[in-house]
Amino acid sequence: MVDNSKKDLTHDYTLGLDVGIASVGWAVLADDHIVDLGVRAFDKAETDDKGEPLNLARRTARLARRRLNRRATRLKRLKRLFRREGLPADWESDQVQGTGLHQGTNTVPDWLQKHPLHKTHRQSPWVLRVEGLYRRLEDAEWTSVIFHICKHRGFHWVSRADRLKEGMDKKGEGGKVKQGLAGTDRLMREKGYRTAAEMMLREFPEAQRNKHHEYSKALSRVLLEKELSLLFERQREMGNLHAGTSLQKEILGNDDHKSGLFWEQKPPLSGSDLLEMLGRCTFERQEYRAPKASFSAERHVWLTRLNNLRIYQRGETRGLTDAERELALWLPYRQRGRFTYRQLRSALIRRGGLDDDFRFAGLRYELGEEGEENNPETATLIELSGWQEFRRTLQDHRLDAAWEEMSQVALSEGESRILDEIAWVLSVYKEDDEVKAELEKLDIPNKMEVVKALLSIRFDKFSN
């Protein structure tokens, strides 16, 4: 520690800090000498085995508690709805007990009566969900069926973009979920099952639930909604007084996949709620920070990187000339994927007239174990992720003309307003209905088809 009583602090000094995740180095410098320096080391805020943040376990537990509390609240509201409807709300949620609850069981198919879950005095909700297609269920049975479906309501992605994004990661959890959903959907179609419960009992008679990290029995929420709708319809036809359209509407909503207790869930942070947490621009305080995927933000990053790029040649280090910078400026926009130092080298030699004896400052040109020089120029110089995502999506939907019109206006005329506004909508809004409504307000060429294609994209990062 510096002893201020023994040092002259009347002159100007410079304090330097090197802040890391496990130490803070510091130095106090005068004009012509080092006053003092040192380092303060401490334990990293990470676990030793996996290198995960120490608060990860707490955060995971907190999110799980919130999710379970929201589900418990939703099911309590469902029970209150049962009481208002005159249905029993004090049954065992996973099974119905008692006698006299199986009148008319001779009307159900033979395979169901022989099923291991089909017992005389203890009935599984899975069996009742199938029996409800053939006979009128008693009040306790009908309550158990509705509660069972609403409690285990399957997988559902808020937007098409989320579903596509998760499905691209084949090895991740989202990819496994999507594969499981595709498998159960294929069984439904190929074997002509009417409901998910019918399919589960026939295909998986021993266990109807997924085990840990298993998704072969995954069911979509849309599929379960169709099952409950069919059960309401069949129960009304067979005279169930508690299967009216008003109860069905309160539970399943208005076919918008949002309203009703069955679809109720906390919406993703978007729109005005997201803007309340979004910071303002450092220089334009009245403006929000720009989405990283916007043309202007990516252009800013690329121009900054290009201006800071240095070339080392024949013992001298210099920046790019105006001609070289003009040549390099358009290259990342004219190709797919990332733009590397090696691609820039090739362009500068072939079209810029540079000799091949230069290197890029800041890259580590080292020799390998066998004396061969490693090539650090394969590293990415710039990757215009938003630009590439826009182009790939529109071209995949055969909207090349619309893409050419918007991109050429941005590149040739410097008018990036449309691309910036599209990136803003796709970054701020999350649900398909909101995104579609906001995109339709913009002056987009071939608007109907372009908006439909852009619903498969979402962005979530903003510039600093």
Side-chain angles (χ1 to χ4, degrees):
M1 181 177 293
V2 180
D3 186 356
N4 293 336
S5 63
K6 297 181 180 179
K7 296 185 182 293
D8 182 9
L9 299 180
T10 60
H11 301 289
D12 291 336
Y13 292 91
T14 301
L15 172 65
L17 296 174
D18 179 14
V19 182
I21 63 173
S23 63
V24 176
W26 58 273
V28 180
L29 308 177
D31 292 338
D32 56 353
H33 66 282
I34 299 175
V35 178
D36 207 346
L37 53 81
V39 61
R40 174 68 182 273
F42 44 84
D43 295 333
K44 292 190 297 184
E46 297 178 349
T47 57
D48 295 331
D49 53 348
K50 297 182 179 180
E52 297 175 341
L54 294 178
N55 66 341
L56 178 61
R58 297 196 303 271
R59 182 169 68 248
T60 303
R62 181 172 64 252
L63 294 176
R65 286 196 303 271
R66 290 177 178 175
R67 183 177 66 252
L68 293 175
N69 287 337
R70 285 194 291 268
R71 185 176 75 170
T73 301
R74 176 168 51 84
L75 295 179
K76 286 179 181 178
R77 293 178 55 193
L78 180 61
K79 289 184 178 182
R80 295 192 190 104
L81 180 60
F82 288 156
R83 293 190 183 96
R84 292 199 303 268
E85 184 67 21
L87 287 168
D90 55 355
W91 81 106
E92 293 187 31
S93 59
D94 289 331
Q95 56 194 9
V96 176
Q97 297 188 42
T99 58
L101 295 180
H102 310 296
Q103 299 174 6
T105 53
N106 57 336
T107 61
V108 302
D110 292 338
W111 70 265
L112 183 59
Q113 296 189 41
K114 298 177 182 178
H115 197 277
L117 290 178
H118 194 279
K119 299 180 180 179
T120 306
H121 299 296
R122 185 179 289 263
Q123 192 76 308
S124 165
W126 288 102
V127 174
L128 292 175
R129 285 164 60 171
V130 178
E131 287 190 359
L133 301 174
Y134 299 93
R135 67 176 180 86
R136 181 175 64 81
L137 298 177
E138 302 295 332
D139 290 351
E141 295 174 326
W142 181 226
T143 305
S144 177
V145 165
I146 297 175
F147 190 87
H148 190 251
I149 295 177
C150 290
K151 181 179 180 181
H152 308 284
R153 54 182 183 165
F155 291 92
H156 179 67
W157 283 286
V158 174
S159 65
R160 186 173 70 184
D162 291 336
R163 184 173 67 253
L164 294 174
K165 181 180 179 181
E166 292 288 352
M168 292 176 65
D169 183 11
K170 300 298 183 181
K171 296 182 179 179
E173 186 175 10
K176 294 178 181 178
V177 170
K178 189 172 182 179
Q179 292 176 8
L181 293 175
T184 53
D185 182 66
R186 182 172 59 255
L187 288 173
M188 292 287 295
R189 287 184 285 101
E190 291 178 354
K191 299 193 176 181
Y193 295 119
R194 288 180 295 175
T195 66
E198 194 173 43
M199 181 269 295
M200 295 297 288
L201 291 181
R202 294 297 298 270
E203 300 296 331
F204 310 102
E206 300 300 328
Q208 289 73 46
R209 291 290 172 203
N210 288 314
K211 296 181 180 179
H212 188 55
H213 294 310
E214 179 197 356
Y215 301 97
S216 60
K217 306 181 187 73
L219 298 173
S220 72
R221 193 170 301 175
V222 174
L223 179 62
L224 293 176
E225 182 200 38
K226 293 179 180 179
E227 176 179 353
L228 189 51
S229 297
L230 179 59
L231 284 169
F232 265 100
E233 180 182 343
R234 292 291 295 141
Q235 289 299 300
R236 281 197 295 269
E237 293 174 355
M238 290 181 283
N240 191 329
L241 300 179
H242 298 292
T245 55
S246 59
L247 178 62
Q248 180 177 349
K249 186 175 182 180
E250 287 196 64
I251 295 175
L252 296 178
N254 302 314
D255 296 327
D256 55 2
H257 294 178
K258 290 182 180 180
S259 57
L261 284 172
F262 179 79
W263 287 100
E264 185 179 273
Q265 69 181 56
K266 185 179 180 181
L269 190 65
S270 65
S272 58
D273 294 331
L274 186 145
L275 293 179
E276 290 182 0
M277 302 182 66
L278 182 61
R280 300 279 180 169
C281 175
T282 304
F283 305 104
E284 302 289 342
R285 299 304 301 177
Q286 72 279 9
E287 299 288 344
Y288 289 105
R289 290 159 50 192
K292 280 191 173 183
S294 63
F295 178 88
S296 296
E298 291 187 333
R299 184 78 159 180
H300 164 74
V301 173
W302 173 224
L303 291 176
T304 302
R305 198 162 295 176
L306 198 58
N307 288 337
N308 292 335
L309 189 65
R310 295 292 182 267
I311 289 178
Y312 180 78
Q313 188 177 34
R314 300 186 184 96
E316 295 184 356
T317 302
R318 65 173 179 85
L320 299 181
T321 65
D322 290 343
E324 292 168 345
R325 189 179 294 108
E326 182 68 21
L327 170 64
L329 180 61
W330 310 105
L331 296 179
Y333 297 96
R334 294 171 179 168
Q335 67 169 48
R336 291 180 179 270
R338 63 193 184 100
F339 183 63
T340 65
Y341 287 90
R342 183 165 58 183
Q343 291 172 311
L344 178 57
R345 166 185 285 274
S346 178
L348 292 176
I349 294 173
R350 187 177 67 255
R351 298 166 55 188
L354 271 180
D355 294 334
D356 194 20
D357 60 348
F358 71 89
R359 292 184 174 185
F360 292 103
L363 296 183
R364 299 182 63 180
Y365 294 83
E366 298 177 341
L367 294 179
E369 296 180 357
E370 300 179 358
E372 297 181 358
E373 186 176 278
N374 296 326
N375 188 1
E377 294 179 3
T378 57
T380 300
L381 177 57
I382 187 70
E383 184 172 9
L384 306 174
S385 303
W387 173 272
Q388 300 293 351
E389 187 73 16
F390 281 135
R391 173 166 64 179
R392 180 169 54 252
T393 300
L394 294 183
Q395 290 180 347
D396 288 347
H397 287 79
R398 300 182 180 179
L399 296 170
D400 301 70
W403 167 247
E404 288 297 325
E405 180 178 343
M406 291 188 290
S407 61
Q408 289 306 314
V409 168
L411 293 176
S412 304
E413 304 176 16
E415 177 53 61
S416 60
R417 180 179 56 85
I418 293 298
L419 289 178
D420 288 343
E421 289 177 344
I422 292 175
W424 174 263
V425 172
L426 297 179
S427 300
V428 172
Y429 299 94
K430 305 303 178 184
E431 296 188 0
D432 287 344
D433 292 342
E434 292 181 325
V435 171
K436 182 179 179 181
E438 294 296 325
L439 288 178
E440 289 176 346
K441 299 177 183 178
L442 305 181
D443 186 18
I444 302 175
N446 195 0
K447 182 180 297 185
M448 182 177 298
E449 295 299 323
V450 170
V451 169
K452 183 178 179 180
L454 291 177
L455 288 177
S456 61
I457 304 178
R458 290 296 185 280
F459 303 114
D460 57 1
K461 299 185 185 305
F462 292 81
S463 296
N464 293 330

